[in-house]
Amino acid sequence: VTLPDSINYFGKAVFRDSSVRSVNIPKGVKMIPSYTFYNCQDLTDVAFHDNIAAIANTAFKKTGVTVPDKLKSRVTGEILDDSEASCTFTEDEWVYDILCLYGEINLNFTKYTGKNKDIVMPDDLNYYDLLTCDHEIFSEIKDIKSVVFPEDMTDVTVRFTDSSIEKAVLPQNIGMSDSMFENCKKLKTVVFSGENCNIIISDRAFRNCNSLTDIKFPENCDNITIGKNAFENTGISELSLNYPSEIGS
């Protein structure tokens, strides 16, 4: 069977018990659901592609097929009802969810299990960029000294309010939660990474960060929006913004 790469969806058990001997996984299919090829006893040849994000551990059960070594870390014991599903993986000190919809993959950080106080979040896991993170990703958030977020992350709901953080490197197109660093008395340095970015600094983002004296923006920026009371009672007396800006009260 030769399938066109335009296919981006497999239903559960779509080839189960069939007499298929060889097949390719279309490049549009990023998840191989549970029991997709279950009991296809004549199946010996499968052309995989590198962008497969998750494979159910029953997908090739009772076949002559072995998942390639480079994809074995993407095999999950969770039930994938179809190729538009979600599942959870752990890599190193990071727990993350993979969600597939219409052939597109989104990775979301859910938990950091390490003990480091200076944290650099990986740009990608499982060969996909990490774009979002849960607000409870850091269980010991009060002890974190510095954090570097992935440059392409767009949605950050975690709050460091009242923590001991001293430095934060934030992504170029960040959507910040309100009061993200409010009352962080030890915060001294904030860096926004990237170029051609659109930065939205939320209401009360750095309020009462009275040690904050150093904030760096990219050289090229499309727009910066600063929310209400974002820099109230900080060590920053003025900001020089050489690009389109919207400033709250």
Side-chain angles (χ1 to χ4, degrees):
V1 176
T2 301
L3 301 172
D5 285 334
S6 57
I7 292 175
N8 62 14
Y9 179 87
F10 274 179
K12 185 178 180 180
V14 64
F15 288 97
R16 180 173 180 164
D17 299 322
S18 73
S19 58
V20 62
R21 295 175 179 272
S22 67
V23 68
N24 64 296
I25 307 300
K27 291 183 179 179
V29 172
K30 307 295 174 58
M31 282 190 171
I32 303 179
S34 300
Y35 300 102
T36 300
F37 299 97
Y38 182 83
N39 200 36
C40 294
Q41 297 185 21
D42 295 328
L43 181 62
T44 57
D45 182 24
V46 175
F48 294 87
H49 61 82
D50 291 342
N51 292 326
I52 297 170
I55 304 171
N57 64 355
T58 58
F60 296 97
K61 196 171 183 179
K62 294 190 176 182
T63 72
V65 175
T66 300
V67 174
D69 288 343
K70 61 184 177 182
L71 296 178
K72 284 183 177 178
S73 63
R74 306 179 205 180
V75 175
T76 175
E78 295 184 39
I79 295 175
L80 304 180
D81 286 329
D82 53 34
S83 55
E84 294 183 356
S86 63
C87 56
T88 301
F89 286 91
T90 300
E91 186 171 325
D92 297 327
E93 300 171 323
W94 300 97
V95 181
Y96 61 99
D97 290 338
I98 293 179
L99 172 65
C100 184
L101 188 62
Y102 304 118
E104 296 297 325
I105 294 293
N106 181 48
L107 268 65
N108 176 58
F109 279 123
T110 58
K111 197 74 173 176
Y112 172 69
T113 61
K115 300 297 183 182
N116 291 333
K117 295 183 179 181
D118 297 294
I119 298 172
V120 178
M121 301 171 73
D123 290 326
D124 61 75
L125 290 171
N126 215 343
Y127 297 95
Y128 284 96
D129 292 339
L130 285 139
L131 302 180
T132 62
C133 69
D134 280 2
H135 68 283
E136 295 182 344
I137 183 172
F138 301 116
S139 59
E140 304 296 332
I141 197 167
K142 300 294 185 184
D143 298 327
I144 293 175
K145 298 300 182 186
S146 67
V147 63
V148 178
F149 286 91
E151 192 170 289
D152 292 327
M153 185 168 279
T154 56
D155 188 14
V156 180
T157 58
V158 61
R159 284 194 176 106
F160 294 86
T161 309
D162 298 309
S163 74
S164 299
I165 192 166
E166 298 175 7
K167 180 179 180 179
V169 179
L170 302 174
Q172 56 186 342
N173 293 310
I174 184 177
M176 296 175 67
S177 57
D178 287 349
S179 304
M180 186 172 180
F181 295 96
E182 188 172 7
N183 297 324
C184 292
K185 304 295 186 181
K186 295 184 178 181
L187 181 63
K188 298 177 181 178
T189 302
V190 173
V191 178
F192 288 92
S193 63
E195 295 183 357
N196 302 319
C197 51
N198 181 24
I199 295 171
I200 300 175
I201 298 176
S202 63
D203 294 347
R204 305 175 301 281
F206 302 104
R207 186 164 69 175
N208 296 329
C209 297
N210 44 31
S211 296
L212 179 60
T213 58
D214 185 19
I215 184 164
K216 294 182 172 66
F217 295 106
E219 290 186 6
N220 299 312
C221 201
D222 293 335
N223 186 73
I224 294 179
T225 300
I226 299 176
K228 295 178 181 179
N229 307 116
F231 293 99
E232 180 184 2
N233 193 27
T234 68
I236 293 176
S237 57
E238 65 178 55
L239 288 173
S240 297
L241 304 176
N242 300 318
Y243 11 72
S245 307
E246 298 175 29
I247 301 176
S249 61

